[in-house]
Structure formats: C-alpha cells, structure tokens
Amino acid sequence: MNISLANLQAQEKITWCPGCGNYGILMAVKKALVALNRPSYETCLVTGVGCSGKFNHFVKTYSFESLHGRSLPVASGICLANHELNVVAVGGDGDGYGIGLNHFLHTMRRNLNFTYIVHNNQIYGLTTGQYSPTTAKGTISASSPFGALEEPVNPIKLALASNAASFVARGFAGDIKQLTNLVTQAMQHRGFSFIDVLQPCVTFNKINTYEFFKKRVYKLEDDKSYDKTNKKQAEERCLEWDKRIATGVYFQADLPIYEDALPALATTPLVKQDIKNIDISASCEEFV
Ligand SMILES: Cc1ncc(C[n+]2csc(CCOP(=O)(O)OP(=O)(O)O)c2C)c(N)n1
Ligand code: SF4
Ligand SMILES: [Mg+2]
C-alpha cells in the first residue's frame, strides 16, 4: 500500500495559532512518513506538554502524550519494547532543554534508535510567553520584565559536547522542503537522531520571527567545504547566531546503538516474544 498525506490525516481540528511554525513541522513529519512509505501503525509519536505537545493530536499514528519534559524516557521504553517501530519524540524547548534536560543528555549517551524533534520557539508558548532555556539574555517576557538574566542553552553545542550524539541537525519551520529531508534522514539514521527546529511563535515571540530567521539561515548542504563527519566543524558552526545560522545536518556518525548490546532484543522485539512458558513464580514469591 502506498501511504499518502490523506492516510495521515487526523480527525481533530488544529488549534495552533494561524501562522505558527508548528504547522511547517507537522507537514514535514507527514511528508517524511510518506517519503518512507511508513503506515500509521508503524509509527509511535511521543510528546511532552506544550503547544508542541499537541502534535500527536494532528497526525494519525500511534502516540503517547507523556508528562512535561518526559517524552524521552517514555520513547526509550517504547523503543525497547518494540524496536521495529518508528519512534519519534516531539516537544518544545522548555520541555526538552528545561525540565527534561537530564533525559536529553542521558538519551544521547545511550544512542537508542529513535528520532527527537524539538520545536524551538525560544519561549513557553502554551503557558503564554514566559522565557525559556533558549531565550536570548536580556529578552523581556511575561516572566522576565527586566530582561532574562541567564545565558541561553545552545542545544546543538550541548548535543555535540555529549560526545555520544550520532545525528545532530537543525531545521527551520519556514523551509518545509529542507525540514522534510532532515526528518526523513533522521528516521533512516540508525541511532538517536536529534533535530532542533527553529520554530517561530507568532503570538508570544516577536523577536525570533520568520523574518529574523529568513535573514540568517543558510544550508550546510550547500557549503561544499562542510563535512558533517567532522565534529570540529560542527562545533564551530553551532556558535553562529547573530549574523547567520546554519541549518542541515551538523554531525552524523555511525556509532553502536543501545539495542545492539541487549541480547534479549537480538532475535525479535520484546512484544513479539513468547512468554507463555516463562516461570515467574520465584520472582513473585520474592517481591509480591
Ligand atoms: C511538571 C509541569 N510543570 C509545569 C507545567 C506547565 N507547563 C505546561 S507547558 C509548559 C512550557 C511549554 O513550553 P515549551 O516546552 O517550550 O513548549 P511550547 O508551548 O513553546 O511548544 C509549562 C511550564 C506542566 N504542565 N507540568
Ligand atoms: S502560542 Fe505560539 S507556539 Fe503556541 S500555537 Fe500560538 S504561535 Fe504556536
Ligand atoms: Mg517553546
């Protein structure tokens, strides 16, 4: 069966503000699923909480709406239970780089085989415009009336510094063609694939707008001198921001994945294993 966009159409009405960058990300994910011809039942989306956390309402796949900042541990569990699924975790910058930051670091260390897409709008959208971990220092917001005091998190730098990230990319919600390509590559990559997406929040972030990004973004794939297997180059490019911002695959490496080290997963996914004849009475005796 050939999968089309119509197959991925959910029933629920989209409630994001008109013009929100989330629409571009939604379209890119759907187009990537079409490009890979993955039926709805082979994909599981796992979201956190936020405007981005509503992502799973608007695309027809299996999904799990987790707690704020907890999409990665839930996605890890799903991945281990059925490593044949196309698992995709989705969340915001507050969700992933704030409350969920520890999970981000530990998931990279494990290099489990799933995709993580962060809607980085540099603000808490759902809760109406408080500053987030990626908000620029000095920004006036609902929760920083005198300007944000902290230095912002640089998610690409953080991922590279983890020394275990195997696919690190950045997309722009205003360039659906490139983003589709990045999501497709991320889903095909064997290992943890992370995409930070520059996502304008048209309602609460009046600084990082479509115009702001359009003036600055350029594509790494157009730069013949750029080598995505060279981490040093990635570390340099990820420091750019004020004058220009690189999009594309910053870094990719073929590293051992967590699942390979688990003998229990070698033949077939856990969910498909026959456990009828396994005697757990001794464990029950001890723990129950
Ligand atoms: C444990 C917990 N703390 C706080 C909240 C309130 N809360 C909901 S969404 C959110 C932040 C959303 O920002 P972000 O993750 O950037 O997502 P966006 O809405 O911008 O897509 C917060 C603080 C919550 N739901 N749960
Ligand atoms: S508040 Fe911002 S992030 Fe949330 S739906 Fe509206 S534009 Fe999008
Ligand atoms: Mg946000």
Side-chain angles (χ1 to χ4, degrees), residues 22 49-53 67-68 70 91-96 99 119 121-127 130 132 199:
N22 288 342
V49 173
C51 295
S52 43
L67 298 172
H68 191 35
R70 308 295 173 227
D93 44 316
D95 193 88
I99 190 169
H119 298 218
N121 53 17
Q122 299 173 256
I123 205 86
Y124 287 0
L126 188 75
T127 47
Q130 296 82 7
S132 86
Q199 176 249 312

Side-chain angles (χ1 to χ4, degrees), residues 188-209:
Q188 285 174 315
H189 174 77
R190 197 167 186 274
F192 184 67
S193 340
F194 160 58
I195 312 177
D196 177 77
V197 185
L198 306 168
Q199 176 249 312
C201 165
V202 293
T203 305
F204 295 112
N205 188 337
K206 303 293 183 191
I207 299 169
N208 308 111
T209 58

Side-chain angles (χ1 to χ4, degrees), residues 51-74:
C51 295
S52 43
K54 294 184 184 167
F55 196 88
N56 61 323
H57 296 213
F58 311 136
V59 54
K60 194 170 138 200
T61 62
Y62 280 112
S63 73
F64 190 110
E65 198 158 322
S66 76
L67 298 172
H68 191 35
R70 308 295 173 227
S71 65
L72 292 178
V74 173

Side-chain angles (χ1 to χ4, degrees), residues 85-105:
L85 278 178
N86 176 32
V87 178
V88 185
V90 176
D93 44 316
D95 193 88
Y97 308 147
I99 190 169
L101 185 69
N102 56 341
H103 299 304
F104 182 43
L105 295 176

